[in-house]
Amino acid sequence: MAIYPDPTALSGGPATTAAGPTPADVAQADADVEVALESLGQWQLAWRRFRKHRMAMVGLGFFVFMVLVAIFGPIIVPYDPLNIPGSTIPGGMPPSLAHPFGTDNDGRDVFAMVVNGARISVAIGGISMLIAGIVGVGVGAIAGYFGGWVDNVLMRVVDTFFAIPLLFVILVAARFFGEGQVTSLILIFGLLSWPIIARLVRASFLSLRESDFVEAARAVGVKDARITFRHILPNAIGPVIVAMTLIMASNIVLEAFVSYLNFGISPDQTSWGNALANAQSALGLGNWWWAFFPGMAIAITVMAINFVGDGLRDALDPRTRL
Amino acid sequence: MGTPPPPDVLLDVRDLRTYFRVMDGTVPAVDGVSFQVHRGETLGVVGESGCGKSVTALTIMRLIETPPGEIVGGEVWFNGRDILTLSSDEMLQVRGAEMAMIFQEPMTSLNPVLTIGDQIAEAVVAHKKVGHKAAWDRAIEMLQLVGIPEAQRRVKQHPHELSGGMRQRVMIALALSCDPKLLIADEPTTALDVTIQAQILELIRRVQEETGTALLLITHDLGVVAETVQRVVVMYAGKVVETGTVDEVLQDPKHPYTEGLLASIPSQGLRGTRLNVIRGSIPNPFRMPVGCRFAPRCPYAFDPCRDHEPPLEGPGDGDRRVACWLHSRPPFGIEHRPRYGTSTATALAQRTAGVAS
Amino acid sequence: MTQYIVRRVIQAIPVLFLISVVSFVLMMQAPGGPAAQFNQNPHISPAQINKWLADWCLVRQPTVMDTVREYLGWLGVWNCTGGSFLSAHGLPNFLPAFLGGGTNGILHGDFGYSIETGQPVLQMILARLPATLILMGTAFVLWATIAILAGVLAAVKRYSFFDQSVTFVSYVFYSLPTFWLGLILIFIFGVTLRWFPVQGIVNVRNTPAPFATSAYWAAFAANPLPYLYDIGAHLVLPVVTLIAVSIAGDSRFVRSAMLDSLHQDYVRTARAKGISERQVIVRHAFRNAMLPILTNLALEIAFLFSGAIVTETVFSWPGMGRLYYDGVNARDYFLLMGILLIGSVLVVVMNLVADIAYAIADPRIRYD
Ligand SMILES: Nc1ncnc2c1ncn2[C@@H]1O[C@H](COP(=O)(O)OP(=O)(O)OP(=O)(O)O)[C@@H](O)[C@H]1O
Ligand SMILES: [Mg+2]
């Protein structure tokens, strides 16, 4: 209900005289600043806000580091985690200079396991997150776009996913269908974690379908499909990205748990969960390092991702503008 | 620090400053606001959206949330004491009892999970030291006063069962339930239908007369001001730019901003034509103009306006005051050379000539 | 209100149906299949196995139609022995047995037989129920109380030391893998400090019979205190493991719901009345924040079930989660389907209860 919000009236002010800038000039200069702010674009603005979030930047830094470890670590680290040296001590050796994280039952270096495990753990978290994002956005958009019975059916399916305790299904799927394969596990995690995203996307459809700018787009004859992709989806992207970070974090943990139960990655490969698989028995001997370090790797990575998610939440929320 | 105002002045706001510290900087939402409300009087505060009207009202009620808000300076003398110096416990005795407030949004201002009777009775119990039964009776009585039919039944309903206009009546009943000396109404009709607006205003005027409370009416509707108030404060970008009686200000606006506000009222028979609006928009709160805050939008602005803040001074005697270099003697050493082009400006400049030289 | 409840119940029906389909498809499509698994079990007589295979429409290499029949038979709509939708009495099979319907199938309360032990599935689940209920019940009460208290206080004292500590602690715990936290707790408090037992629900050396048998309950009833103490000591680490991560997430949820509520217009109205800050917070802000908190708690019950698997496997807790884990290892199809179905139905029912509680707490719902 602003009384005079009409910046367009600014153009075409009177000519400048020698006495100094006219009011219109001053106002124009002011408006230029505003325009410059506007044209920064949604993403640049978000990035600027994100940078102000200190923990999010720390999280992002650590996450990038972990991705680099996942890619290059196995090349650099001197121990082959699956190469079992002759001397094996029950419960492994404590941390030392040669083995900073100690060794396990079979004399394998825990540091090497953590570094090498990063690859599979980060890949499972990351790719399953992408799958969940694609399926979730697709289902949510279809439900929101078509509405009616399509929406009803899809949402009951989503409700079902929310009602079934996810871990129950994941255990069965990992054991019966996973066959220790990384790709199967990625598919299982991805295909079981999309419903939350579908819900978010559909919710923003419901709230945006009737909103002013969508009405406006419709009024000037923009096609519905176009409205969906140009106007509605970009507005849902904030919560979706935040939810995706959460999915990535929780899938890294799920992989670890499933592998810890020996239902996940086959033992001849290394993931953080596999590294923990036989650690429980060592704890009874007081040998904490075997369980401690891989778990810390998971915890810190997950925390970094959560920090990034938090920063994104603040940066992408239109309400924190200004 | 300051001295109390004379007893007939119920509320004396002096150089009040409330700033908000947000992520991108400091918003000087209220920046040196002064005005007085006499006992039983109605004062109007006008100004366009975002000029700090609500923040002024909330500051007087001490309802500014800290952080991000902070009352950084000024005095608020109310009923003989500076309430900015009261502890928050002492303030509980003032708020709701001696001064009460009606908000802009009747749809969200009532608690959805409590009955309206509970919400009114709660205030009565807190201030009148009466039992629940008496408070409940008082609630019914107040609902009747504000013209809610079937008050006995309505009192047990929840807010969602009432229309917007009815809810605003409930808010008024709630505000008046403890016989406050000052009622602050922050755009009480903005969110309502036009027909309902008139009813609510009429109601406010009536109950004010009946109860004799003073009224601080915040609005950006000059029509409402003309009909309702005795004196007006015009605000722009956190500052008072002009004050005076309603006739003085509306008939003979001295500040170019007030002039623009008046020009933007659609006159009878001209509905649908383009309004004569003030160009541009309110300044960016993080980059307030150094001189007069209105200068970038002012058609009459000249050099001193951009560098020096005009004081709020009376062009004559009485309560009439205006903050504009067109009406004040500029500081020493500043060349005073207004530029003007329109006929109004010519008239203004001529009027100014007497003051300035 | 009644209308609202009825509508929610009706909405739950397709979900329950889908749950049964998902449970079934997941298990039956698994490699091997129950028919083969039953045949491999040497502990059960071939005659018994053949009877079960016939009763539950189990075929070794099922076609699509066989699978549909298996599903309908498991549901209790199809009469496997008779090969029709009618029961032996010639009435629709889905009717309760006392009305002349069938007897096999989950609609009749018959969840089939465990491949591993040959016992009825329902009996096995019920035997494990007390341990799970004790664990989850204790966890839920503590979890909700602590999360709400911490979240509300943090919101009210925003930016205070307490608030920042809660935020920090919850960040840390929220990121911990539950099972790993369990391992670390076992190491610190079980192995190193020896404060708490780390396995099972009771100390088997001090009990006359295994937990939850009638002999155990008899001894328990005779002298409950030491038994309660025993269970309590065993509960500490699993419960902490189960709730620490959830509390971390939920206290942040409660905090933001409460902050949201504290910024509502009606809270400002309440403050403007001049009532005490305590009343503003309890009567106005908290009462309204309770609504989203309640919904969230209900949604998280499903997570609690998942969490129970984690804790029960790490601590060898003899509950449904552990039973499920063993079932997965043994490919005990009927058992897995039964637990999955019962767990999901419980979640649906609890969500329904929460919805109804919500409707009672929020007067606006009644007229929706
Ligand atoms: N909680 C807050 N945090 C930050 N800035 C605020 C806050 N509350 C108000 N402001 C700022 O203070 C300025 C004045 O706001 P205020 O609500 O007083 O305007 P108003 O004159 O009441 O406008 P309206 O007519 O729209 O109600 C605005 O620029 C606003 O952005
Ligand atoms: Mg306002």
Side-chain angles (χ1 to χ4, degrees), chain C residues 35 38-56 58 81 113 118:
Chain C
F38 265 124
N39 279 340
Q40 279 172 9
N41 192 332
H43 307 302
I44 307 168
S45 72
Q48 186 59 273
I49 289 176
N50 284 337
K51 176 171 178 341
W52 284 338
L53 293 186
D55 280 352
W56 296 89
L58 295 178
T81 38
Y113 294 85

Side-chain angles (χ1 to χ4, degrees), chain A residues 76-151:
Chain A
I76 298 166
V77 170
Y79 293 91
D80 176 352
L82 301 176
N83 178 16
I84 302 166
S87 66
T88 58
I89 304 159
M93 288 187 294
S96 62
L97 272 184
H99 305 281
F101 291 178
T103 64
D104 75 356
N105 251 350
D106 301 322
R108 291 179 299 184
D109 180 59
V110 176
F111 181 70
M113 289 204 279
V114 169
V115 169
N116 287 267
R119 188 172 277 185
I120 286 177
S121 293
V122 172
I124 287 189
I127 303 175
S128 68
M129 167 186 81
L130 291 179
I131 294 175
I134 292 166
V135 177
V137 169
V139 172
I142 290 171
Y145 177 72
F146 289 103
W149 67 267
V150 178
D151 178 41

Side-chain angles (χ1 to χ4, degrees), chain B residues 120-181:
Chain B
I120 299 176
E122 182 181 41
V124 177
V125 169
H127 296 298
K128 293 280 183 204
K129 311 291 168 231
V130 295
H132 188 263
K133 176 78 182 70
W136 191 260
D137 290 342
R138 173 76 175 160
I140 296 173
E141 184 191 332
M142 290 312 296
L143 291 183
Q144 283 162 345
L145 176 76
V146 297
I148 290 183
E150 298 179 85
Q152 299 278 0
R153 185 172 65 84
R154 293 288 187 178
V155 75
K156 288 189 218 108
Q157 290 187 329
H158 288 91
H160 71 272
E161 297 167 68
L162 277 65
S163 69
M166 281 296 166
R167 290 191 212 184
Q168 200 59 302
R169 284 172 195 266
V170 172
M171 283 299 293
I172 296 170
L174 168 61
L176 294 175
S177 60
C178 299
D179 305 311
K181 298 186 174 64

